Amino acid sequence: MSTSSQGAASSSRLKLLIRSITYEATGIRSYELVDPAGEPLPPVEAGSHIDIHVPNGPTRQYSLCNDPSERHRYVIAVLRDEWGRGGSKAIHDQLQVEQIVEVSRPRNNFSLVSGARKHILVAGGIGVTPLKAMAHQLQIDGEDYQLHYCAKTEAHAAFFKELQTELDPARIAFHFDRGNPVDGLDIQALLKVQPEGAHLYFCGPGGFMAACEKASVHWDAGTVHSEHFKAPVPPPASPEALAQAHQGQSGDAEFSVKLASTGAVYGVPADRSIVQVLAEAGVAVETSCEAGLCGACKVGYLEGEVQHNDFILSDDERRTCLTACVSRATSSVLVLDL
């Protein structure tokens, strides 16, 4: 229990060789990662992602986009974002072929649902990466699926030729808007009627995600699945919240967390997260994105009421788990399964 969070995380990382870097589309490169000794890599499921630890730089999460049945390699694709937080630029600028890079073991918060009668995959730009892996898996399994890929032009569509040669072209529809969304996929029309037994999966930039969420709001509960690359921008604060902020009041109340294994209790002030407080106390909780997107810090809880602020946990998971980086309590105490 006294092991540092950083040390625990480091011991679970994989050290992989960058075997190749490939230009895939405008601003997009793919990175093929293999075991330096040629050993098989840990198995993955479609929708999985890994953390990339850039030397002396940031840690970022990227979806695995190759066929999940492949054990000899992981493939990620990275869009260089000049206006982002710097992670994609660091990868483009620093990582080179034959370099060893540390990555996390795969995690999956965006799984395919077994038993669905049809799978509808809708990708926006670089959001195609997890959906490409899903399409590979669905094709192998002989499942009914359709992939809709939205991009500005063919030159901006990563894996354009690969998708048509390795998958059934009849199941893939490309939608190029030339920079005008009106000329692209009519998401509202596509999702207006839910086919019987169908599940929807979508991933892409913020505006695209919002459009998919709005268009599928009437779908049956539990049949809509998505993955965010960035935390959605919160809605504008209410006048009451703005007034509280002006008066120096925080919307987050202080609470305590209790560890079930030791009975130790730690106070979590309004301006600190659970994971920060635990780390300061020497309690190991793995972290990565610290935005409620990756699931690295998911822990169980046994008692208390949780304010879930993540973007990955299902309703079922939220009954017993929380993300320690962003979750807070609406009760005075949370008992953690640690």
Side-chain angles (χ1 to χ4, degrees):
M1 189 64 71
S2 62
T3 305
S4 72
S5 186
Q6 183 177 0
S10 298
S11 64
S12 65
R13 295 177 188 172
L14 305 172
K15 293 185 177 181
L16 302 184
L17 174 73
I18 301 176
R19 183 178 182 274
S20 65
I21 300 175
T22 305
Y23 171 87
E24 298 291 353
T26 302
I28 300 175
R29 295 176 182 173
S30 66
Y31 295 77
E32 182 185 31
L33 310 173
V34 300
D35 182 88
E39 296 295 324
L41 297 175
V44 300
E45 299 176 342
S48 295
H49 70 270
I50 56 176
D51 300 341
I52 302 293
H53 300 271
V54 180
N56 301 314
T59 298
R60 294 291 183 265
Q61 297 74 44
Y62 294 97
S63 296
L64 298 176
C65 54
N66 55 306
D67 182 341
S69 67
E70 295 179 335
R71 295 290 304 280
H72 67 288
R73 66 174 186 159
Y74 293 155
V75 179
I76 62 169
V78 181
L79 169 66
R80 185 183 181 98
D81 184 357
E82 297 293 345
W83 308 106
R85 295 175 297 161
S88 65
K89 290 194 291 184
I91 288 177
H92 274 242
D93 293 342
Q94 297 183 35
L95 299 192
Q96 301 177 2
V97 173
E98 296 188 6
Q99 185 175 345
I100 298 293
V101 63
E102 286 194 348
V103 311
S104 70
R105 292 180 178 273
R107 292 189 296 270
N108 196 356
N109 305 308
F110 193 33
S111 301
L112 285 167
V113 175
S114 61
R117 296 182 62 177
K118 184 179 181 66
H119 304 265
I120 299 176
L121 318 175
V122 188
I126 194 62
V128 73
T129 49
L131 303 181
K132 177 178 177 291
M134 289 181 175
H136 281 294
Q137 188 63 60
L138 292 167
Q139 178 127 329
I140 291 172
D141 294 342
E143 297 279 345
D144 186 6
Y145 76 93
Q146 188 73 36
L147 170 61
H148 293 270
Y149 188 179
C150 306
K152 184 177 180 180
T153 67
E154 179 180 322
H156 291 80
F159 308 107
F160 180 69
K161 292 183 178 179
E162 181 180 331
L163 287 168
Q164 297 173 86
T165 55
E166 296 189 5
L167 299 172
D168 182 355
R171 296 185 179 275
I172 304 172
F174 294 95
H175 307 272
F176 302 127
D177 63 15
R178 310 293 171 182
N180 184 358
V182 176
D183 296 329
L185 172 65
D186 188 339
I187 297 175
Q188 195 73 38
L190 174 69
L191 305 179
K192 183 177 182 179
V193 177
Q194 180 179 11
E196 184 176 355
H199 280 246
L200 169 67
Y201 311 80
F202 57 91
C203 185
F208 172 87
M209 298 291 285
C212 290
E213 290 169 0
K214 181 179 179 181
S216 61
V217 69
H218 60 286
W219 279 46
D220 294 340
T223 63
V224 178
H225 318 276
S226 62
E227 182 170 69
H228 293 267
F229 284 158
K230 296 180 180 179
V233 177
S238 66
E240 294 79 8
L242 290 174
Q244 287 183 343
H246 182 70
Q247 295 169 11
Q249 301 175 18
S250 171
D252 292 327
E254 182 174 351
F255 61 96
S256 297
V257 291
K258 180 178 180 180
L259 306 189
S261 61
T262 65
V265 178
Y266 304 99
V268 183
D271 61 347
R272 305 289 285 170
S273 68
I274 296 174
V275 76
Q276 288 172 332
V277 168
L278 293 180
E280 290 171 357
V283 180
V285 175
E286 184 178 355
T287 62
S288 183
C289 74
E290 298 193 42
L293 293 170
C294 73
C297 65
K298 183 171 72 173
V299 299
Y301 69 96
L302 306 175
E303 296 178 30
E305 299 296 325
V306 180
Q307 175 185 311
H308 294 282
N309 297 318
D310 65 273
F311 304 95
I312 57 168
L313 297 183
S314 66
D315 289 340
D316 286 342
E317 288 177 308
R318 288 182 173 184
R319 294 188 181 97
T320 58
C321 296
L322 56 82
T323 50
C325 66
V326 295
S327 294
R328 301 194 67 79
T330 55
S331 56
S332 59
V333 180
L334 282 180
V335 180
L336 303 182
D337 190 14
L338 289 173

